[in-house]
Amino acid sequence: MTTLAPTTTPGPALSPARVLHSEWHKLWTVRSTWIMLAASTVLTIAGGIAIGASYESGQAADFALDPVQFLLFGTQFSQIILAVVGVLFIAGEYSTGMVRSTMVAVPRRVPVLWSKASVVAGVVFTTTLATLVVTFTSGQLFLDGTDKELSLTDRGVLGTLLGSAAGLTALALVGLGLGALLRSVPGGITAFIGGVTVLPEETAQ
C-alpha cells in the first residue's frame, strides 16, 4: 500500500504592506523611540526659545547665520539623537536576537530594510518638521521688532524648514544604514558620531 504524504497549505505571503505595518508597530512599541523623539523635540524647541530670548538687534557678529537657521541651533544635538533612533531600530534587533524572528517571517532582507527605512523616514520627517515649525514660531515671539523678525509666510522660511527636516531625516537614515551594516548599537552610534560629526570638522580645519 502506498502512503501519501500529508499536504500542507502554505500560509499567505507577507505583502509589502504587511511588512511595513509590522515595522511601524515595532518602532512605536520600543520605549526608546518615544524617549528619543521627545528629547529631540524638547532640545530643539528649547534652543530656539533660548536664542530668540537672548537676541538683540545688532548682534550680527554673534548671530551671522540665516535668519531662520539661527533659531534651529538645537538641531545640532537632535541630529545625533535622531541618528540613534535609526541605529537602535535595526541594530537593537541584533542585540536582542529579535532579528531571527524577523528573518523567519521575511527571509529576504531587502523588503525589511526598505520598510524600516520608510518608517524611519516618515516618522522622523513628520516629527521634525512639526518641531521646527513650533521652534521657529516660538523663537519669533521674542524677535518682534528686531532685525531677525520673520513669519512663516515670508519668502524662503518654509523652504528652509522643509530642507532642515529633510536633512535631519537623511541623518536618521544614515544611522539606520550604519546599524544595518555594523549590527551593533555601540558600533553604529560611534561610527555616526565619528564619521558624520567629528571627521568633517577635522577635515575642515
Side-chain angles (χ1 to χ4, degrees), residues 41 44-45 47-49 71-72 130-140:
T41 298
T44 302
I45 296 175
I49 291 175
L71 282 177
L72 308 183
T131 299
L132 296 183
V133 170
V134 172
T135 301
F136 174 80
T137 305
S138 300
Q140 282 294 326

Side-chain angles (χ1 to χ4, degrees), residues 68-139:
V68 180
Q69 287 286 357
F70 94 111
L71 282 177
L72 308 183
F73 177 77
T75 59
Q76 299 296 317
F77 306 102
S78 63
Q79 66 181 6
I80 298 177
I81 296 173
L82 294 174
V84 171
V85 171
V87 172
L88 285 172
F89 189 35
I90 188 163
E93 290 193 21
Y94 284 96
S95 64
T96 61
M98 185 184 296
V99 68
R100 297 188 188 93
S101 300
T102 300
M103 291 298 106
V104 168
V106 190
R108 296 177 59 226
R109 297 177 185 273
V110 172
V112 175
L113 291 175
W114 276 113
S115 295
K116 286 183 179 294
S118 299
V119 169
V120 167
V123 169
V124 171
F125 181 80
T126 303
T127 304
T128 302
L129 180 59
T131 299
L132 296 183
V133 170
V134 172
T135 301
F136 174 80
T137 305
S138 300

Side-chain angles (χ1 to χ4, degrees), residues 11-23 105-106 108 111-112 115:
L14 283 179
S15 65
R18 292 180 66 187
V19 178
L20 187 65
H21 181 269
S22 174
E23 295 303 328
V106 190
R108 296 177 59 226
V112 175
S115 295

Side-chain angles (χ1 to χ4, degrees), residues 147-167:
D147 55 353
K148 297 290 187 182
E149 181 182 0
L150 287 172
S151 69
L152 282 173
T153 57
D154 286 337
R155 182 178 180 181
V157 172
L158 284 177
T160 300
L161 296 178
L162 285 167
S164 296

